[in-house]
């Protein structure tokens, strides 16, 4: 993260923020930047979304995809807001080394099965421990009844953006990341005019501060979770993971002042986020209950050899969440306590030691990666059939699935 620069005077801290003094004492430079960022959106993306009123939602999303796939020069009638957005997106920072990032991701697929577990029980659930950051999920009214669909959508983006070559300029991962950015801006625009959004309590919807935490959800927490269940990546893969997510953060529009470069800076951002987050509320608990009952427990059941064993699936999910989140946050989120957590904590290091040895045996990475990739394709087809998901992101969801990214029925397309 770069050194904080002077800002214009800001409103007081959002009233939901706790322990700000402790966070500032612990991180005197970063914490004030984080608090200021709770009042910031994404100027370039927000300006483009503001033009939807004149362009039309459907037309705007169409030219966005065209600019991603064929370059901004292919959009002859592009508004200035879109040109400014792509001027930023097309300027690859000097610190980005896509060849190195791609090389580090070559064999990540060997742990596909474990990565799926960590995505649901660690990355997504961790975000529900902040009632302000998760509030947009509640107010857009889609997630409680669509836990499986949203998990598949997030997985679609993660697969494409972490595949070697996925972040190159005209690759699918690049486009999906840009669309995620615009989805955030569409939700922010919708909630900014919504009387249910308590600006003084929560700051700007999907603020820079909470966008920055997205990197912790999908980088630091997964790396930690994979290690905990015995699927640790090699040192070069870990370094590449941080570099990849730094660039993804840039593409998502996260300000350089908040964009973490490495593990140390991600850990600092995580500590501020956890220390100052508002109290968990009933909606946060319902989110966790939804992803558990609608997605994680059924997925663990799929791994069991017989229906008679399905009763062990809930305690396994709860044990994993307690290992990934820690008992304090798990208690707040209403995750039942279970002795399975002790088994996972005991078995994880043993599996990790074994996998570290196997990883260093010549010739093993390629076949295991191939197996993992085949498993991922098979699972993706099964999940999409099970949850009737045939799109990638929510902006491409079928008509009838209400969400700000879908626009309004009958709009210009």
């Amino acid at each position: 993260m770069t050194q904080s620069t002077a800002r214009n005077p800001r409103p007081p801290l959002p009233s939901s923020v706790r322990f700000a003094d402790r966070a500032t004492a612990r991180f005197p430079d970063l914490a004030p930047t984080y608090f200021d960022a709770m009042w910031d959106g994404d100027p370039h993306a927000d300006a483009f979304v503001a033009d939807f009123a004149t362009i039309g939602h459907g037309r705007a999303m169409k030219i966005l995809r065209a600019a991603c796939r064929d370059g901004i020069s292919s959009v002859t009638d592009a508004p200035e807001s879109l040109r400014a957005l792509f001027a930023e997106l097309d300027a690859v920072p000097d610190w980005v080394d896509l060849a190195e990032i791609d090389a580090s991701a070559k064999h990540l697929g060997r742990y596909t099965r474990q990565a799926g577990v960590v995505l649901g029980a660690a990355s997504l659930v961790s975000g529900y421990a902040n009632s302000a950051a998760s509030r947009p999920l509640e107010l857009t009214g889609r997630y409680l009844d669509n836990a499986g669909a949203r998990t598949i959508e997030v997985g679609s983006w993660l697969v494409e953006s972490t595949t070697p070559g996925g972040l190159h300029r005209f690759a699918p991962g690049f486009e999906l990341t840009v669309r995620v950015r615009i989805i955030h801006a569409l939700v922010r625009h919708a909630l900014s005019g919504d009387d249910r959004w308590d600006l003084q309590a929560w700051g700007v919807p999907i603020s820079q501060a909470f966008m920055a935490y997205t990197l912790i959800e999908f980088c630091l927490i997964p790396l930690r979770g994979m290690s905990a269940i015995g699927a640790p990546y090699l040192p070069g893969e870990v370094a590449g993971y941080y570099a990849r997510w730094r660039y993804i953060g840039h593409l998502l529009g996260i300000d350089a002042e908040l964009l973490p470069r490495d593990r140390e800076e991600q850990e600092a951002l995580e500590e501020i986020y956890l220390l100052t987050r508002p109290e968990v509320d009933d909606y946060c608990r319902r989110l966790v209950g939804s992803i558990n009952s609608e997605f994680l427990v059924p997925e663990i059941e799929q791994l069991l050899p017989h229906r008679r064993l399905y009763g062990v699936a809930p305690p396994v999910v709860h044990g994993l969440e307690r290992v990934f989140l820690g008992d304090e946050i798990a208690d707040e989120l209403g995750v039942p306590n279970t002795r399975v957590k002790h088994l996972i904590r005991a078995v994880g290091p043993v599996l990790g030691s074994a996998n570290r040895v196997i990883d260093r045996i010549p010739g093993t990475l390629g076949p295991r990666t191939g197996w993992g990739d085949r498993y991922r394709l098979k699972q993706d087809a099964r999940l999409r059939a099970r949850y009737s998901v045939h799109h990638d992101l929510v902006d491409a969801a079928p008509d009838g699935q209400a969400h700000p990214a879908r626009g309004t029925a009958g709009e210009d397309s």
Side-chain angles (χ1 to χ4, degrees), residues 51-187:
D51 281 339
F52 278 39
T54 54
I55 301 171
H57 186 105
R59 173 62 182 166
M61 294 304 291
K62 183 177 180 179
I63 63 176
L64 174 73
R65 291 186 179 91
C68 286
R69 297 172 186 177
D70 302 313
I72 187 63
S73 61
S74 70
V75 185
T76 56
D77 57 346
E80 185 55 38
S81 59
L82 187 64
R83 294 187 184 280
L85 174 64
F86 274 86
E88 177 191 78
L89 290 168
D90 287 333
V92 180
D94 293 340
W95 44 263
V96 175
D97 187 337
L98 286 173
E100 184 174 328
I101 288 173
D102 289 343
S104 71
K106 185 177 180 180
H107 297 299
L108 296 182
R110 70 189 184 279
Y111 291 135
T112 294
R113 187 187 297 265
Q114 296 92 327
V117 171
V118 170
L119 168 62
S123 293
L124 296 180
V125 173
S126 71
Y128 305 154
N130 184 324
S131 58
S134 62
R135 191 69 58 187
L137 290 173
E138 177 181 12
L139 298 184
T140 53
R142 182 170 179 266
Y143 187 53
L144 280 177
D145 297 326
N146 293 275
R150 181 172 184 264
T151 305
I152 293 168
E153 290 164 358
V154 173
S156 298
W157 168 49
L158 295 179
V159 166
E160 295 293 352
S161 61
T162 58
T163 297
L167 291 179
H168 289 235
R169 173 57 184 86
F170 298 103
F174 181 96
E175 177 185 329
L176 290 182
T177 302
V178 174
R179 284 167 56 196
V180 167
R181 181 174 179 176
I182 299 305
I183 290 168
H184 287 167
L186 285 163
V187 172

